[in-house]
Amino acid sequence: AAGGAALAAVEQQQQQRRGGGGGARVGLCLLCGLPAAGKSSLARALRRRLPQRPGWACALLAYDELIPPEAFSPPGAGPQQPAPSLPGWKRSRRELLQCLEGFLRALLTGAPLPGPAQPGWERFLGCCRREGLLAAAEGDTGAASRPLYILLDDNFYYQSMRYEVYQLARKYSLGFCQVFLECPLECCLQRNRLRSDPVPEQTIQLMARKIEMPDLRKNAWEQHSLVLSSSDCIPEDNEQIMNLLTAALENPERPNEEDTEQKEAARAICATSAVHQADQACRRVISQAMQDAKGKNILPSEMKSLAEELNKLKAEFLEDLRQGKTLKTQYSDPATSAISSFQHEATNVVNKYICK
């Protein structure tokens, strides 16, 4: 059974992590789109399909089941009850991600599962049980080496909502992909009206105005994304979906990858700050040196040459500081080291004019 396959995969991956024998192959797949776009139907179809072919263990986590309905009610703050810092639905989404991370940590490292102290855990735990992630093994011993795919079914209409899940995938070196179902608003509204518990139409209309499609050119983290038209039924063995899931599993996200652009920007800021600090200090040194020289009755024409020579010296020191070519002194800070060296050289230049 699919539940036994999922559990066997969990147990095998825990053993691998404890023993250091290779990384667990786990993938997170987001199913995104407007309400009634067909996400849940596709999710259930994939849930049935993946354990059969290509033989992956699979679990479906639907946000509609995991976020309590009261989370969408207006906050009821009173005189003795201050208004919460976050709307209920935002708080519930955050708690859900915390539960998911607690489960992934236990799955991949053998750490204990979160307990009742974790908000939303009992509801999350119940869903995991129904999906077979925590149920007793059902004899499918051949599933022990199977990858595990966790399907997350939600609107995910903001990129920031999807990025939070991507961060988990990167942190734990998981596969990550997203299937975005694009369906005309009117089609979604018509389907929604046929539901036994329809979503308020103004909610769907608001989401349609705010929804943010995957942007592969802007967001490198969305490289494993697929946008499908869901006006018609999407077959569960859709070749594009299967290729996407496979590619994400075979190319897991890398944890703690440094953002090269941010790192270079930070270095540039630090370097600019050091140069600015040194520039201000060198200006003060030159000003004091010129005052000392004036007190020694140096001729005006010589004073002009002295100023030009000191400013040229300052420019050379600042350029060396920009290039990281500061001389080694007793100071570990490059700016302080450059200022100290400049002060020494400036004194030598002034003395040269005084001794003429």
Side-chain angles (χ1 to χ4, degrees):
L7 176 65
V10 169
E11 292 174 341
Q12 174 70 10
Q13 286 153 4
Q14 284 182 329
Q15 291 170 5
Q16 288 178 331
R17 287 290 178 173
R18 292 190 192 106
R25 294 184 65 199
V26 179
L28 299 178
C29 176
L30 309 189
L31 296 168
C32 324
L34 293 175
K39 302 180 302 296
S40 297
S41 297
L42 177 60
R44 288 190 295 267
L46 290 173
R47 174 71 179 85
R48 292 189 303 266
R49 170 73 176 187
L50 297 183
Q52 300 169 9
R53 185 167 175 263
W56 298 332
C58 184
L60 170 58
L61 302 181
Y63 276 48
D64 285 348
E65 298 177 11
L66 293 167
I67 297 180
E70 56 269 23
F72 299 95
S73 302
Q80 306 299 323
Q81 185 181 5
S85 57
L86 282 176
W89 66 272
K90 282 190 176 181
R91 189 169 61 254
S92 290
R93 291 186 74 92
R94 177 175 294 180
E95 292 168 358
L96 173 49
L97 277 177
Q98 291 169 349
C99 290
L100 178 58
E101 179 170 13
F103 171 78
L104 289 171
R105 190 185 302 114
L107 168 65
L108 299 171
T109 70
L113 288 168
Q118 167 62 53
W121 176 248
E122 292 303 320
R123 183 181 286 265
F124 185 86
L125 188 65
C127 184
C128 288
R129 282 200 182 100
R130 289 192 296 275
E131 287 301 301
L133 290 176
L134 301 173
E138 296 180 6
D140 189 0
T141 56
S145 60
R146 294 181 184 181
L148 169 65
Y149 244 114
I150 298 177
L151 309 176
L152 301 179
D153 174 10
D154 182 50
N155 302 302
F156 290 114
Y157 60 97
Y158 283 140
Q159 285 178 347
S160 58
M161 296 174 172
R162 308 193 294 269
Y163 185 70
E164 290 175 329
V165 183
Y166 165 76
Q167 287 178 307
L168 279 184
R170 185 175 63 180
K171 182 175 181 179
Y172 293 99
S173 196
L174 312 179
F176 174 84
C177 62
Q178 45 191 19
V179 178
F180 206 101
L181 300 190
E182 192 172 30
C183 187
L185 174 60
E186 189 54 42
C187 181
C188 290
L189 292 174
Q190 290 176 359
R191 292 176 180 176
N192 182 62
R193 294 180 191 120
L194 300 176
R195 289 177 161 180
S196 58
D197 186 19
V199 176
E201 292 200 353
Q202 60 268 31
T203 300
I204 301 178
Q205 292 165 344
L206 180 63
M207 282 188 187
R209 291 196 296 271
K210 293 186 173 184
I211 200 161
E212 296 173 347
M213 304 290 284
D215 189 341
L216 279 65
R217 289 177 296 179
K218 181 180 177 182
N219 302 319
W221 60 271
E222 293 192 292
Q223 61 178 317
H224 292 132
S225 299
L226 179 62
V227 179
L228 293 175
S229 172
S230 61
S231 300
D232 300 318
C233 181
I234 299 174
E236 60 194 43
D237 58 350
N238 180 285
E239 185 176 356
Q240 290 178 287
I241 295 178
M242 300 310 299
N243 289 341
L244 176 74
L245 295 172
T246 301
L249 265 188
E250 292 178 350
N251 299 278
E253 304 302 327
R254 299 301 176 194
N256 301 323
E257 287 184 346
E258 292 181 333
D259 188 319
T260 304
E261 291 183 2
Q262 288 184 358
K263 188 175 180 181
E264 290 303 320
R267 283 177 178 168
I269 290 170
C270 290
T272 301
S273 176
V275 170
H276 176 73
Q277 178 187 344
D279 180 50
Q280 296 300 310
C282 289
R283 287 173 186 269
R284 290 192 293 270
V285 170
I286 291 175
S287 177
Q288 184 62 48
M290 295 299 292
Q291 289 181 15
D292 292 346
K294 188 176 182 181
K296 299 294 183 180
N297 297 319
I298 296 179
L299 296 174
S301 59
E302 294 291 319
M303 289 288 288
K304 181 180 179 182
S305 298
L306 173 61
E308 289 175 350
E309 191 166 345
L310 289 174
N311 280 308
K312 181 180 178 182
L313 183 66
K314 175 174 74 79
E316 291 172 355
F317 267 83
L318 294 180
E319 183 59 29
D320 285 346
L321 181 59
R322 287 190 190 94
Q323 300 294 331
K325 299 177 181 177
T326 52
L327 296 173
K328 291 186 177 180
T329 67
Q330 69 267 36
Y331 303 105
S332 58
D333 176 52
T336 306
S337 177
I339 294 166
S340 174
S341 299
F342 175 77
Q343 192 161 19
H344 176 73
E345 293 292 332
T347 300
N348 290 339
V349 171
V350 172
N351 288 337
K352 181 178 68 174
Y353 278 81
I354 292 174
C355 296
K356 280 185 177 181

